[in-house]
Amino acid sequence: MSKRFNAAHRGRERSRRAVVPLAAVSVLVAGTALTGCGQQRDADVYTVMNSSTDESYHRWDAEAMARCGEQLGVTIEQQSVPAAQVMTKALRMASSKSLPDIVQFDASEMPTFADAGGLVDLRTLGLSTKDIPDGIVDFGSYEGTYYGAARSVNTLALFYNKDVLDKAGVRVPATWAELREAARTLTRGKRYGLALSAGGAEDGVFQFTPFMWSNGGDETKLDSPQVAGALDYWKSLLKDGSLSKSTVNWTQADVNDQFMAGNAAMMINGPWQVETLNTDKSLHWGIARIPVPEAGDDSVGPLGGAVLTVPRTGDAARERTAGRIVACLAGQKEQLTYALNSWMVPANAKAAAVWRERVPELDALADQVATARSRTAKLGAGWSGVSLALQSAFQSALTGQSSEAALKRAQQRATSGN
C-alpha cells in the first residue's frame, strides 16, 4: 500500500469498511466475554492490532511499543491489517477466542464493539482523562463510558494555494459568502476554485459534516432546513462551476491530487495530506478554518482518527497490563512524538500546546480541533446507518434532485434502516 493511500485513509474514518450487523457483533463478542480467553498466551508478550500497514506508520508504532515495553517490562508485538479489515478481523478473533490484548479501532467503529459488551472501561484500568478536552473524551466514549484512548486526532480545514490567491487578489475566505465569491473568482480554465469530496462513501459524509453542523444541522434529523441549507450551499458551488462535476466521485485523496496538480485553488482536506503536500517544494500552501455561514459562527468539524481499546477477554490480569500499555502509548510524551511524525494533533491538551509551537503552520488546524466533535457522539453505533443514508442523498441531490427530497428519503432510510 502506498504511503499516500494509507495516510489519506487514516484521517477520515475509512470509507470502504465492511458493514457488520450489530446483532452479529453482539453474538460473537458476548460469546467471548462469557467463555473467557480460549488460547494460551505468553505471559510477557502483548499484542496490539492496528491498521498501520504503511511502512512509516508501522515503524513509528513499533518504536513507541518498544519504548513502552521497556518501561513496563513486557514485549509488545504489533499486528497490522488493512484499515477496512480491523473490525471483521477482530470479530473473527472474538469467535475463536483469540482476541489481541489491544485493538486500535477507528473511532467511528468503536461504538459497535462497545455496544456488544466487548470492551473494558479504561477508567477501571486506571486511565485518566485529565488534560483531554471533553470533545476528545466523547470521541473515545460510548454512552458515557470511556473505552478508547486517542493518541492524536484530526479534522478538516481549508487548504489554499497562496500564490494563486495572492495573484488574484483574493483574501482567505471566512464565511460561506466569501468562500463562494472566492471560488468563483479563482475558477479559471481547467482550474476550479474549490475541490472537495462529495463521493458516495464516508469521505463525502466526513466532508459534509462541517457544513451541516456549522449551519445548525443535526444527524438526528437529516431532513431539517439546516441540513438542506448546507446541501444547497454545496449545490450552489457546483452550479457556479466552482466545483468539478467529478466531485461526486472523488475521495479525499483524489481532492489532494487535484490541488497538487494545480486543478483547484482551494480544497477541504485534512492533515494526513501534509506529508504529500510537502513533497512539492514549489507548492506554497496555507491552511485556515473551514468558512462558516455567518461571521461569528463556530466552525464545527468532525473529529477523525483512531482509539486504543482493551477487548474484554476474561483475563483480568492481562487486561490490567493492557491498560498500562494503552496509558503509555497514549501518554503525553508518546502523543507528541506520534503527532509530530504524522502531522495529527495530540489529544492531550498539554501536548497539543507544545505541538502548536513546533508546527505553527498548522495552528489553524488546532483551532479547528478545539471546536470539533465526534460523529458518533449522539448516535453511537447508529451512525453507520445515517452515514449510508447521507451518502445516497449526496449522489441524488448533486446530480439533479432537490436537497429537500433527497434528505427526506435519507431520513426515512436512517429511521427504517432500509
Side-chain angles (χ1 to χ4, degrees), residues 176 208-218 224-234 290-294 297-301 373 407:
W176 283 7
F208 183 64
T209 51
F211 295 88
M212 176 174 73
W213 289 339
S214 298
N215 200 42
D218 191 282
S224 72
Q226 292 82 4
V227 180
L231 189 50
D232 279 339
Y233 181 73
W234 270 17
I290 296 176
V292 293
E294 301 290 342
D297 291 344
D298 286 332
S299 183
V300 185
R373 70 178 181 85
L407 289 168

Side-chain angles (χ1 to χ4, degrees), residues 114-392:
D115 186 77
L119 299 177
V120 180
D121 180 349
L122 294 182
R123 288 192 176 97
T124 67
L125 300 178
L127 274 81
S128 171
T129 54
K130 181 184 179 183
D131 298 324
I132 302 177
D134 289 344
I136 299 178
V137 174
D138 290 341
F139 182 66
S141 299
Y142 176 64
E143 294 188 344
T145 301
Y146 185 57
Y147 292 111
R151 289 185 290 171
S152 64
V153 293
N154 60 73
T155 190
L156 294 166
L158 178 72
F159 289 74
Y160 57 93
N161 187 312
K162 292 181 177 180
D163 295 336
V164 171
L165 266 68
D166 287 347
K167 185 176 180 179
V170 172
R171 296 195 315 175
V172 178
T175 65
W176 283 7
E178 291 173 359
L179 177 61
R180 187 176 182 184
E181 181 58 32
R184 272 198 298 247
T185 301
L186 295 168
T187 298
R188 292 288 182 273
K190 294 183 178 180
R191 186 189 69 210
Y192 291 92
L194 179 67
L196 56 80
S197 170
E202 186 69 15
D203 274 14
V205 179
F206 197 64
Q207 295 228 330
F208 183 64
T209 51
F211 295 88
M212 176 174 73
W213 289 339
S214 298
N215 200 42
D218 191 282
E219 56 268 35
T220 63
K221 189 171 176 54
L222 299 181
D223 54 354
S224 72
Q226 292 82 4
V227 180
L231 189 50
D232 279 339
Y233 181 73
W234 270 17
K235 292 183 70 171
S236 71
L237 296 171
L238 198 61
K239 182 179 179 181
D240 290 344
S242 301
L243 289 178
S244 168
K245 292 181 180 178
S246 297
T247 193
V248 296
N249 299 315
W250 283 346
T251 66
Q252 292 179 126
D254 295 329
V255 169
N256 193 59
D257 288 343
Q258 294 297 319
F259 182 73
M260 292 190 69
N263 297 330
M266 301 179 290
M267 70 170 177
I268 305 295
N269 228 314
W272 53 90
Q273 308 291 9
V274 170
E275 186 176 9
T276 304
L277 290 171
N278 285 344
T279 62
D280 184 351
K281 302 304 180 184
S282 67
L283 177 61
H284 304 129
W285 56 271
I287 188 171
R289 300 184 74 174
I290 296 176
V292 293
E294 301 290 342
D297 291 344
D298 286 332
S299 183
V300 185
L303 281 173
V307 292
L308 294 166
T309 70
V310 176
R312 191 178 298 279
T313 62
D315 188 330
R318 287 190 71 91
E319 290 171 0
R320 286 193 296 271
T321 301
R324 294 171 64 204
I325 293 171
V326 170
C328 180
L329 291 173
Q332 182 178 338
K333 182 178 179 180
E334 290 297 341
Q335 276 195 25
L336 182 60
T337 299
Y338 185 79
L340 289 171
N341 280 333
S342 63
W343 300 98
M344 306 299 178
V345 183
N348 180 286
K350 291 181 178 178
V354 177
W355 181 88
R356 281 178 183 261
E357 296 175 358
R358 299 278 291 275
V359 283
E361 66 270 27
L362 296 182
D363 193 58
L365 187 71
D367 290 337
Q368 189 83 56
V369 163
T371 56
R373 70 178 181 85
S374 166
R375 284 161 292 161
T376 59
K378 290 189 175 183
L379 298 178
W383 167 260
S384 60
V386 166
S387 176
L388 290 171
L390 274 174
Q391 291 167 29
S392 179

